[in-house]
Amino acid sequence: MKKLFFIATLVATVGMASLTYAFSKSNQNKGLSEIQLASIEVLSTDDDPGTDDGTCYNSITTAKGKWVRYCGDCTIVNGEPSFFSGTGKCN
């Protein structure tokens, strides 16, 4: 009886190990998909704030990583327009 239990346990262990190995091999990441690469490219492109249409904002709040044109002196500053900010045009 002990021998039968040992053989059954051994067969089950080998079977589980085989299934685990086969599953991990079939699900290996073979690289990034085209959609993932496109998303990375879009997210990594640097938006040049100097190529806009000249729209500026009268009131700016700080926002890390965002850039906006301030109407006071028509310069590009780190921030974003505030909720109640009026707009203008810079040349």
Side-chain angles (χ1 to χ4, degrees):
M1 188 70 169
K2 289 183 181 181
K3 190 175 187 179
L4 180 63
F5 180 73
F6 176 73
I7 291 173
T9 304
L10 183 64
V11 168
T13 304
V14 170
M16 289 299 289
S18 298
L19 287 174
T20 303
Y21 178 76
F23 183 74
S24 68
K25 279 301 210 185
S26 67
N27 288 335
Q28 273 186 339
N29 188 1
K30 306 223 188 293
L32 298 175
S33 69
E34 292 297 318
I35 190 86
Q36 290 171 321
L37 291 173
S39 296
I40 291 169
E41 182 178 350
V42 167
L43 291 173
S44 66
T45 53
D46 187 23
D47 294 333
D48 182 13
T51 60
D52 63 3
D53 63 350
T55 301
C56 63
Y57 298 92
N58 297 322
S59 178
I60 307 243
T61 59
T62 58
K64 187 176 181 180
K66 294 186 178 184
W67 295 93
V68 66
R69 189 179 304 274
Y70 176 59
C71 287
D73 55 3
C74 290
T75 58
I76 305 290
V77 294
N78 190 0
E80 65 183 1
S82 63
F83 180 73
F84 53 86
S85 178
T87 61
K89 288 284 185 185
C90 287
N91 294 331

